[in-house]
């Protein structure tokens, strides 16, 4: 049996929080595959089913995020499993929104849910990390993760959950790299494309500039003629000087 654990907080007020992306993903897996109805067990909501040839227990701890390991530990001891039989889906501050990464073992990075899991089952479990970005300062983290995803990010969140539910069998076959690629392709395709900046108003066309050669030659005969007076005292003087009619 393999445990797929989604991290989050129970209750409708937390349902669309950034911190609850693990619950969202597990709900999509439950909906897409043939699983039993959710029931309370091991201080969690659990559901049993099969994905491909693998028997799977979906787990959503009801202990709140900071005590997630308590629920998962209860389930592991009951089924006589170990941390290597667990995959955990959770939010990740150190990845940009929509970026995904799968790894086994490692540190908790300050994530309270992972801290609890490390304490109860050890570190040798698989982590499916869904990037949510960082608010910029550690003092802002708590409020940031407990806020709902903004509407602009909902497309990639839905794409992540849908792709994981569709391709979760790759996880059970230890094809982490393939699954990671599928998840990132899905979230990237769902990200809004940056709109090109609106065109600036075209500058007024400058007057036709003369080349240096033309400037050196001076005005053309046509230009000179256009500027020569044909009437008045100046015109009479020019006729005398040039000896011809203008």
């Amino acid at each position: 049996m393999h445990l797929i654990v989604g991290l989050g907080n129970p209750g409708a007020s937390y349902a669309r929080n950034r911190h609850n992306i693990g619950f969202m993903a597990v709900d999509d897996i439950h909906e897409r595959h043939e699983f039993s109805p959710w029931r309370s067990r091991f201080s969690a909501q659990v559901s049993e089913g099969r994905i491909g040839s693998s028997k799977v227990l979906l787990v959503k701890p009801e202990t709140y995020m900071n005590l997630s390991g308590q629920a998962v530990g209860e389930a592991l001891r009951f089924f006589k499993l170990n941390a290597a039989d667990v995959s955990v889906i959770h939010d990740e501050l150190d990845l940009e929104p929509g970026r995904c990464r799968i790894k086994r073992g490692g540190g908790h990075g300050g994530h309270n849910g992972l801290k609890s899991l490390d304490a109860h089952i050890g570190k040798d479990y698989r982590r499916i990390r869904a990037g949510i970005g960082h608010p910029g300062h550690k003092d802002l983290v708590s409020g940031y993760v407990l806020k709902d995803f903004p509407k602009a990010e909902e497309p990639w969140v839905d794409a992540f959950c849908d792709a994981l539910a569709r391709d979760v069998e790759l996880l059970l076959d230890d094809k982490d790299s393939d699954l990671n690629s599928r998840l990132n392709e899905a979230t990237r395709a769902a990200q809004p494309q940056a709109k090109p900046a609106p065109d600036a108003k075209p500058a007024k066309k400058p007057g036709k500039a003369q080349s240096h050669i033309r400037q050196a030659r001076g005005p053309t005969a046509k230009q000179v003629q256009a500027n020569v007076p044909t009437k008045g005292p100046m015109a009479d003087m020019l006729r005398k000087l040039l000896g011809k009619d203008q």
Side-chain angles (χ1 to χ4, degrees), residues 100-113:
C100 310
R101 189 170 296 165
I102 301 174
K103 63 176 292 187
R104 186 182 292 277
H108 55 67
H111 193 292
N112 289 329

Side-chain angles (χ1 to χ4, degrees), residues 111-170:
H111 193 292
N112 289 329
L114 299 186
K115 283 183 186 179
S116 180
L117 283 162
D118 289 355
H120 282 84
I121 70 171
K123 298 182 177 182
D124 192 30
Y125 54 91
R126 182 191 281 110
R127 302 113 190 273
I128 303 167
R129 304 190 292 170
I132 61 170
H134 199 286
H137 193 280
K138 63 180 182 179
D139 292 342
L140 301 175
V141 167
S142 180
Y144 179 75
V145 298
L146 293 177
K147 284 185 179 177
D148 288 358
F149 282 102
K151 287 192 178 296
E153 292 188 24
E154 287 180 355
W156 78 253
V157 174
D158 292 341
F160 167 78
C161 294
D162 183 67
L164 182 54
R166 183 185 64 238
D167 296 320
V168 67
E169 193 168 352
L170 293 172

